[in-house]
Amino acid sequence: MMVFKTVLVVVASLLACAALTNAWPCPDPAAIAPCICTETDIHIDMDCSAVQSDTQLYEAFRNDPFETYRRLTIVKNTTEARVPITRLTVDTFANVTFSYIRISHTTLNDITSDAFLNSYARLETVIVTDGYLTTFPFDMLADCPKLTDLRVFRNKITHMADIHSDSLTYLQASYNPNMKFGDAAFEDAPALEYLILNDIGLDHVAEDTFINQKALKYLDLGHNLIHTLYSGAFTFYETLDQLKLESNRIGSVQDNAISGLKAGTFLWIHRNRLDDTPESAWRPVFDSVNADPDLNLFVFDENFLTCQCNILWLVENDDYMNTLAKGAWCYDNGEYVEDVNVAFLQQNCLRDSYVPSLLW
């Protein structure tokens, strides 16, 4: 009988070792369920998309002997029910750390200021989208030296604190209705290359808002409520590839509102309320990109442009017209800007002042 019991103990031990071997380097699947650990090359990732409560998520990390993961994923498709979690705190993940966090299509409405504290030294990407957040701990960026990518779009965030980060290159906070931020929000984020803030109810861009963005390649402020481009609001350093201002309410552009573009820059300012392209405001903008006019594109479609003597400076310059997208049209007479009779304007307009004559 003693020999039989010994054999049973040995067999049980072997089975336990086999189970551990099968799970290694991931923890025992039963201990972290419904989260799932997977191994990819030398990395281990955790997918907790199946959790059904904050408590269940909390408990999954209580029995995890490992503290260093690459990815945390909590995601559902938009056609599925949201993941029913509501709050993340510093205790949620115990001592487990991540370099990549993606959380989307949940009922999450609160992330405490220290929720990701244990991961600060490792974080490279944080994506928390399509939830119910009204705040986000933007202040944590100052303590995350490797964080390059932050996406918090499709939430209900009402205020974005000033960004303090030497590493952040990509920030996407679109689709947060009525989100506000200060005029100096990006002054201490010099590495930003992509800044996407469309559809946030933005109605004002102050002078020097982007003055420290000397690496900026892509700025999207489309689908907002901007009505005036103020002098000095869009000062760049010949790094920008695309400036997107479409679908705002822009009706006025002050002198020096846009400066520092480069050959090859695309400017999207269609679907606005522009009725004029004053030479003092726009000639320097066209000139700034015309080292190679064939590379540029300025899209003025679907505005309310008046095409009289006021546009002679534009239409008689071939380089400028190569830059202007073909869809720009004249609200006052219905023809496309590219079809305006240049010779007629040259014959009848006062060149010294470009004061429109009453030609029509």
Side-chain angles (χ1 to χ4, degrees), residues 194-330:
Y194 298 87
L195 180 56
I196 307 171
L197 300 171
N198 55 296
D199 220 329
I200 62 170
L202 180 67
D203 61 5
H204 173 83
V205 179
E207 181 180 3
D208 293 341
T209 296
F210 308 106
I211 196 68
N212 281 7
Q213 273 57 69
K214 297 181 179 180
L216 197 62
K217 298 178 180 179
Y218 185 99
L219 176 60
D220 186 352
L221 302 180
H223 297 269
N224 279 299
L225 305 175
I226 302 169
H227 52 82
T228 300
L229 303 189
Y230 294 102
S231 180
F234 295 91
T235 300
F236 305 110
Y237 295 89
E238 298 186 5
T239 60
L240 203 67
D241 294 325
Q242 296 201 48
L243 173 57
K244 305 197 72 176
L245 298 169
E246 77 276 10
S247 299
N248 274 275
R249 300 178 180 181
I250 301 167
S252 176
V253 179
Q254 296 182 355
D255 293 358
N256 301 311
I258 302 173
S259 63
L261 303 187
K262 64 178 177 64
T265 298
F266 282 22
L267 168 63
W268 308 87
I269 197 165
H270 53 293
R271 290 197 295 272
N272 275 285
R273 299 178 181 180
L274 294 172
D275 60 3
D276 194 9
T277 53
E279 181 180 3
S280 59
W282 284 106
R283 183 185 285 274
V285 182
F286 278 83
D287 283 340
S288 68
V289 302
N290 274 316
D292 194 342
D294 292 335
L295 296 178
N296 315 313
L297 183 68
F298 287 2
V299 182
F300 278 76
D301 304 19
E302 298 182 60
N303 276 282
F304 300 89
L305 299 179
T306 298
C307 298
Q308 298 188 29
C309 293
N310 60 311
I311 66 162
L312 176 56
W313 71 270
L314 173 64
V315 296
E316 69 177 354
N317 187 302
D318 291 341
D319 287 345
Y320 297 169
M321 292 306 292
N322 283 338
T323 293
L324 189 70
K326 304 302 182 184
W329 61 286
C330 306

